[in-house]
Amino acid sequence: LLASRLAPPPPLDSDPLRPLLGRGLLREVPLGGAGDVDDAHSGIRQVRGLLAEGGAEVLRAYSVVNPALSSVYEAVKGVAEGGKELDLWHGTTAESLGNIVVNGFNRAYVGRHGTKFGLGTYFSVDADYSLRFCGRRAAGAPRFLLLARVLVGRSAKGTPDLVEPPCYGEGHLERYDSTVDNVQNPSIYCVFRDFQAVPCYVVEVA
């Protein structure tokens, strides 16, 4: 009896995907055939080979089903002047994954991995680069990448002190929509509004 009273509580669910699947927020995407992923996000299949070259393996992929986030993103896009969109990668921890899928990207967490191009949320064209920011993991535990649709609009070179994009135009009354590492050939983007990006896919990586 005493032993049962002192026994630790049951462990929390170690699989961050299970509650998201249970709520219908994720839908598994088959990765076998050429037509399994829609053309707009076919990069998931392509990235399997790229990650495999670095010793990483794509285990599973899921589409995010969150109409509320999508509708807010569309509203933000509707008022943006520079309407350029890109599909970009974002590495995250297992602990943060659920919050992003449910509530979207949140700038309250900025600075965990640096602020080289401003105090915003960071995305990359390179999945292998984003994999570096998935946090420490227990042996054998998977890592998680998000493929997001990002409203990058007009971009300027970023600096660490920026809390919003720099101004441009006559009287400096207009602002760029994002900052980048290299204006001519950007590979890293920083956005400063929480609903300027929407998670579209979750990729589980060994």
Side-chain angles (χ1 to χ4, degrees), residues 88-144:
L88 300 171
W89 296 96
H90 179 88
T92 191
T93 64
E95 294 77 17
S96 298
L97 177 65
N99 189 49
I100 294 174
V101 170
V102 174
N103 301 305
F105 297 98
N106 188 336
R107 287 186 300 154
Y109 297 98
V110 301
R112 290 186 173 185
H113 300 292
T115 58
K116 190 173 183 180
F117 306 112
L119 297 169
T121 304
Y122 284 74
F123 300 89
S124 175
V125 300
D126 183 359
D128 191 49
Y129 178 82
S130 293
L131 200 60
R132 303 178 191 178
F133 303 100
C134 293
R136 295 181 180 179
R137 58 172 178 157
R143 292 165 289 178
F144 296 98

Side-chain angles (χ1 to χ4, degrees), residues 17-31 36-38 44 60-67 101 199-204:
L17 299 175
R18 197 189 313 274
L20 299 172
L21 288 164
R23 291 179 56 180
L25 290 163
L26 294 180
R27 181 183 300 130
E28 188 164 2
V29 175
L31 295 175
D36 290 332
V37 181
D38 63 60
I44 291 177
R60 291 175 291 181
Y62 304 85
S63 60
V64 176
V65 184
N66 191 334
V101 170
C200 297
Y201 287 90
V202 173
V203 180
E204 186 179 5

Side-chain angles (χ1 to χ4, degrees), residues 108-202:
Y109 297 98
V110 301
R112 290 186 173 185
H113 300 292
T115 58
K116 190 173 183 180
F117 306 112
L119 297 169
T121 304
Y122 284 74
F123 300 89
S124 175
V125 300
D126 183 359
D128 191 49
Y129 178 82
S130 293
L131 200 60
R132 303 178 191 178
F133 303 100
C134 293
R136 295 181 180 179
R137 58 172 178 157
R143 292 165 289 178
F144 296 98
L145 289 171
L146 288 151
L147 183 59
R149 177 65 57 86
V150 186
L151 183 63
V152 298
R154 300 182 179 93
S155 300
K157 182 71 168 67
T159 57
D161 58 306
L162 291 172
V163 295
E164 52 187 336
C167 296
Y168 71 92
E170 185 178 355
H172 292 275
L173 299 177
E174 305 292 336
R175 287 193 181 275
Y176 288 94
D177 302 291
S178 60
T179 57
V180 294
D181 57 334
N182 184 313
V183 175
Q184 282 70 42
N185 186 29
S187 62
I188 301 170
Y189 288 83
C190 176
V191 298
F192 295 81
R193 286 182 284 180
D194 292 337
F195 295 105
Q196 202 172 336
V198 61
C200 297
Y201 287 90
V202 173

